[in-house]
Amino acid sequence: SRMEDSIKKTLADNPVVIYSKSWCSYSMEVKALFKRIGVQPHVIELDHLGAQGPQLQKVLERLTGQSTVPNVFIGGKHIGGCTDTVKLYRKGELVTMLSEQDIN
Amino acid sequence: SRMEDSIKKTLADNPVVIYSKSWCSYSMEVKALFKRIGVQPHVIELDHLGAQGPQLQKVLERLTGQSTVPNVFIGGKHIGGCTDTVKLYRKGELVTMLSEQDIN
Ligand SMILES: N[C@@H](CCC(=O)N[C@@H](CS)C(=O)NCC(=O)O)C(=O)O
Ligand SMILES: N[C@@H](CCC(=O)N[C@@H](CS)C(=O)NCC(=O)O)C(=O)O
Ligand code: FES
């Protein structure tokens, strides 16, 4: 589908991608975490997309099995939500994954 | 206003009140915290109230200065959101406040 292609392009073009909702504290936490690490994620605010937001969220669920936000990808790979990302960070694995990416 | 009266009645009738959104992780966290302490809060899910939800959220903002969820009250007193409640818990003050309430 067109939306699926657009997601795949976004993931191919950006080392860190976060599908987020701007007023959601878990989304804010994961964005702040990347900022703290010094990484600038590509953020898509689903609540800023009108009717396309829920549609995109549905396609993401089909692609990843995850229906919730935030939905985090590194190097095109599905990482998970806020809790998953924080866990990886505390294990030291997040920074390792990021170092393997081509981040400007 | 009628909504303001209904809020005041809820706060008078219940020692612990949480205005919440059912799919919000911060709301889930604060509900889980009270459960862990062994307290059963009176929970109002704003997303279950149709058009009244946003209206209630606006009245709460007028009454408390807080526009966000979760919005927590103990003994009719405005406590704050998730972060504020967790802070009070870690300082030991939350359990003290709850012990001063008439909780069944
Ligand atoms: N453990 C997950 C929780 C994800 C979650 O429950 N997200 C909520 C918002 S905080 C959600 O997507 N709710 C449904 C929605 O907003 O459509 C994480 O850490 O990301
Ligand atoms: N620090 C506050 C954050 C509260 C907050 O930003 N809540 C968000 C949801 S997590 C909110 O109410 N957003 C606007 C809305 O849902 O109407 C807390 O700990 O409760
Ligand atoms: S909407 Fe409240 S934490 Fe996500």
Side-chain angles (χ1 to χ4, degrees):
Chain A
S1 78
R2 208 146 149 253
M3 222 167 225
E4 207 171 312
D5 294 339
S6 133
I7 291 171
K8 292 184 171 164
K9 173 150 176 48
T10 300
L11 296 181
D13 292 352
N14 299 282
V16 184
V17 178
I18 302 172
Y19 290 90
S20 162
K21 286 184 186 176
S22 59
W23 37 256
C24 163
S25 295
Y26 263 36
S27 297
M28 291 179 209
E29 275 190 25
V30 86
K31 283 179 269 182
L33 174 58
F34 281 105
K35 186 172 184 184
R36 220 161 45 241
I37 304 176
V39 166
Q40 185 92 298
H42 181 84
V43 178
I44 295 107
E45 300 292 2
L46 295 180
D47 56 300
H48 290 175
L49 302 178
Q52 290 206 349
Q55 291 174 21
L56 203 49
Q57 197 169 348
K58 267 294 170 199
V59 176
L60 286 164
E61 180 177 6
R62 204 170 65 231
L63 290 174
T64 65
Q66 181 179 318
S67 61
T68 56
V69 292
N71 206 334
V72 182
F73 297 80
I74 296 175
K77 181 169 179 247
H78 181 238
I79 299 304
C82 177
T83 320
D84 303 311
T85 307
V86 169
K87 268 194 195 127
L88 278 182
Y89 174 65
R90 289 190 179 145
K91 290 204 269 175
E93 286 178 37
L94 193 71
V95 174
T96 305
M97 287 180 113
L98 291 167
S99 64
E100 295 167 354
Q101 302 308 317
D102 206 6
I103 301 188
N104 357 329
Chain B
S1 77
R2 205 145 151 255
M3 222 166 223
E4 207 172 310
D5 294 340
S6 133
I7 291 171
K8 292 184 172 164
K9 172 150 177 51
T10 300
L11 297 181
D13 293 352
N14 300 281
V16 184
V17 179
I18 302 173
Y19 290 90
S20 162
K21 287 185 187 176
S22 59
W23 36 256
C24 163
S25 295
Y26 262 36
S27 298
M28 291 180 210
E29 275 191 26
V30 86
K31 283 180 269 180
L33 174 58
F34 281 105
K35 186 171 182 183
R36 215 157 52 238
I37 304 174
V39 166
Q40 185 92 296
H42 180 84
V43 178
I44 296 106
E45 300 292 0
L46 295 180
D47 55 301
H48 290 175
L49 302 177
Q52 291 206 349
Q55 291 172 20
L56 204 48
Q57 197 169 347
K58 268 295 169 200
V59 176
L60 285 165
E61 179 177 7
R62 205 171 65 231
L63 291 174
T64 65
Q66 180 181 318
S67 60
T68 55
V69 292
N71 207 334
V72 182
F73 297 80
I74 296 176
K77 180 169 178 245
H78 182 238
I79 299 303
C82 177
T83 319
D84 303 311
T85 306
V86 170
K87 269 195 196 127
L88 278 182
Y89 175 65
R90 289 189 180 147
K91 291 204 268 175
E93 287 178 38
L94 193 71
V95 174
T96 304
M97 286 179 112
L98 290 167
S99 64
E100 294 166 355
Q101 303 307 318
D102 205 6
I103 302 189
N104 359 329

